Amino acid sequence: MGKPTGFLEYTRKTEGVIDPEQRVKNYQEFTIPLKQSELKNQAARCMDCGIPFCHSGCPLGNFIPDFNDKVYQGKWKEALEILHKTNNFPEFTGRLCPAPCEEACVLGINEDPVTIENIEKNIIETAFKEQWIKPEIPSKRTGKAIAIIGSGPAGLAAAQQLNRAGHTVTVYERDEKVGGLLRYGIPDFKLEKSIIDRRIEILKAEGIVFKTKAHVGVNVKVAELKKEYDSILLCGGATVPRSIPIKGAELDGVVQAMTFLKANNQYVDGLRDFDDIISAKGKNVIVIGGGDTGSDCIGTSNRHGAKSVTNFEILNRPSSSRPLNQPWPYWPMKLRTSSSHKEGAERFFSISTKEFIGDDKSQLKSLKTVEVVWQKNDKNVMELTELPNTEKEWPCDLALLALGFTGSEASLAEQFGVQLDFRSNIQATTADYCTNVPGIFAAGDIRRGQSLIVWAISEGRQAAHHIDKYLMGTSDLPLKDDNDLPRV
């Protein structure tokens, strides 16, 4: 490494943020970048550790010590070249990834880990600022045509890889704009949509064709796609939301998180009026679910001007440090407080919602809960037990269900004739990402279930290799064996 003693000389320093009272007034990103001199010091903290466990922690297998070293040396363009070898869209992962690489950092055993994610973000932002990001147009075409269904991170990564191999790629997106989960599931205060748009312009210049408002299986016929294309890749995501089968779930005011977030993103994009979306303004909001989506609902509700925001999580409150049964370098299930939580939300753990209560107009007005405890039974399996005499009624005008997803849409699988696994995801293994129908592949959340953006990009890249090999017999596209990677 450029400075072997850097980890002894510098402490971890992350980006600053705009004060919560100010940032909730708009939907803009609110981080304050470090100076390049400070980033150099952060990169210097990367140790000459011998075995960089950050590689295995990253689903993409990013060459992290290599680009850290280049940043320390001030060779930003070389750092970019190293980063782009494994990651098509570091501007997305540098903002949205939970950074399993940092949890696997060797320095993190007894000190704060290297700020890998922030360095990655600054490499790509420096590259765009210096106009180093140029379209890479293939020198020749293979004559093979590929359709990709879904323009989320998996679909976009696969599209770029397959286009670089010389194939003609068309991406079908059912919504009015490209980006999938990136555009409609992630609030602008975490990812401004101009970040997506600038990358899409690059992909278009490279020769990729995007067709929006093209809902495959609805206004685009599956039979015609099979005739027109040599191969098809399904990247439609895991889109079936999980609900709560309890009394009152049908009331007005009980809303799925993605319905709430998508409408708000469309409002921020100028596609809807505020009066035309589900608003949290002046309401007592309860977000049920403690993950990233729940956090996004909290941040959005605060920007609407909610009267109060409360967050329920049915699981026990995690410890603030790494649990003993999840040692380094594994991903630890510990308490994580997001930027949205810091903007204002009261959090409750070990609590289960039992009933939604409405008024005479079927409008939600409150909900009932009970406290629970998770304990191992005689078979050593965690079991949920309700605690007696802990029922409580909470005032609630808007309940947002951020409970994850149960799988992909069955109708799409039926029309393509592909099989589903026991979790209602399209069945295809990491051996070749191919379904039971020759020539039809699947990648991303539609195959693996609800997961991370970094995993979606990884799967899109891997599927692209196997599609290229299927069409051409061999492939020069990079392939990474992800069988031993940690499941985050």
Side-chain angles (χ1 to χ4, degrees), residues 126-269:
T126 298
F128 272 107
K129 180 181 178 181
E130 298 296 331
Q131 299 184 341
W132 295 335
I133 308 297
K134 304 290 185 183
E136 296 182 19
I137 302 171
S139 58
K140 61 180 181 179
R141 292 289 178 181
T142 63
K144 302 292 185 179
I146 302 164
I148 296 178
I149 316 304
S151 67
L156 294 179
Q160 187 169 55
Q161 293 297 100
L162 289 165
N163 184 73
R164 287 175 175 173
H167 306 303
T168 300
V169 180
T170 303
V171 179
Y172 289 82
E173 170 56 53
R174 65 181 177 181
D175 284 309
E176 59 264 64
K177 288 192 175 183
V178 172
L181 177 69
L182 295 169
R183 186 174 297 277
Y184 294 113
I186 307 297
D188 283 59
F189 55 81
K190 289 174 65 175
L191 175 68
E192 292 184 16
K193 301 309 176 270
S194 60
I195 303 299
I196 302 173
D197 294 336
R198 71 183 182 186
R199 178 61 76 169
I200 297 302
E201 291 305 309
I202 295 291
L203 299 181
K204 287 180 178 178
E206 290 178 341
I208 299 170
V209 176
F210 292 93
K211 293 187 177 183
T212 55
K213 296 183 180 179
H215 195 167
V216 175
V218 179
N219 63 348
V220 177
K221 294 182 179 180
V222 169
E224 293 181 358
L225 293 182
K226 288 183 175 181
K227 289 180 181 179
E228 186 176 351
Y229 294 97
D230 299 292
S231 183
I232 297 172
L233 175 61
L234 305 177
C235 295
T239 56
V240 180
R242 181 178 285 107
S243 188
I244 305 181
I246 61 175
K247 185 179 179 180
E250 76 289 346
L251 291 171
D252 291 337
V254 180
V255 180
Q256 284 290 343
M258 290 306 299
T259 301
F260 175 71
L261 294 173
K262 180 177 180 179
N264 189 76
N265 281 7
Q266 290 172 322
Y267 156 68
V268 175
D269 197 22

Side-chain angles (χ1 to χ4, degrees), residues 324-435:
L324 293 176
N325 64 342
Q326 297 164 8
W328 175 91
Y330 293 104
W331 175 261
M333 301 302 292
K334 61 184 182 181
L335 181 65
R336 301 177 192 274
T337 302
S338 73
S339 60
S340 292
H341 291 132
K342 295 176 182 178
E343 292 166 2
E346 193 170 7
R347 304 170 76 181
F348 293 89
F349 295 86
S350 303
I351 190 167
S352 176
T353 306
K354 299 295 291 182
E355 180 184 354
F356 296 111
I357 302 171
D359 59 21
D360 55 5
K361 296 182 180 179
S362 297
Q363 175 64 47
L364 177 68
K365 68 174 185 178
S366 64
L367 57 78
K368 288 183 180 179
T369 63
V370 63
E371 293 180 21
V372 299
V373 63
W374 290 87
Q375 296 175 326
K376 288 185 178 180
N377 58 23
D378 54 5
K379 296 180 180 179
N380 205 35
V381 176
M382 295 300 290
E383 193 172 64
L384 177 70
T385 303
E386 295 184 0
L387 298 179
N389 304 316
T390 60
E391 292 82 3
K392 182 177 179 179
E393 185 170 339
W394 307 70
C396 180
D397 308 300
L398 178 62
L400 298 173
L401 309 184
L403 304 170
F405 300 86
T406 60
S408 59
E409 295 180 7
S411 61
L412 187 65
E414 290 173 3
Q415 292 188 59
F416 276 103
V418 297
Q419 295 176 352
L420 299 177
D421 64 17
F422 70 96
R423 297 180 301 164
S424 299
N425 301 316
I426 290 180
Q427 192 171 51
T429 72
T430 55
D432 58 9
Y433 291 84
C434 189
T435 68

Side-chain angles (χ1 to χ4, degrees), residues 55-73:
H55 282 191
S56 61
C58 175
L60 286 163
N62 285 340
F63 302 125
I64 295 164
D66 304 73
F67 66 63
N68 280 339
D69 184 44
K70 296 302 180 184
V71 168
Y72 170 74
Q73 296 180 42

Side-chain angles (χ1 to χ4, degrees), residues 27 183-189 241 253-268 272-274 276-288 292-310 340 397-402 405:
Y27 292 90
R183 186 174 297 277
Y184 294 113
I186 307 297
D188 283 59
F189 55 81
V254 180
V255 180
Q256 284 290 343
M258 290 306 299
T259 301
F260 175 71
L261 294 173
K262 180 177 180 179
N264 189 76
N265 281 7
Q266 290 172 322
Y267 156 68
V268 175
R272 283 188 172 194
D273 295 328
F274 189 77
D276 190 36
I277 69 172
I278 301 165
S279 171
K281 186 176 181 179
K283 296 179 180 178
N284 292 308
V285 179
I286 296 181
V287 179
I288 304 175
D292 289 338
T293 302
S295 171
D296 294 342
C297 289
I298 292 168
T300 301
S301 297
N302 281 324
R303 283 160 178 76
H304 283 186
K307 182 178 179 180
S308 67
V309 182
T310 305
S340 292
D397 308 300
L398 178 62
L400 298 173
L401 309 184
F405 300 86

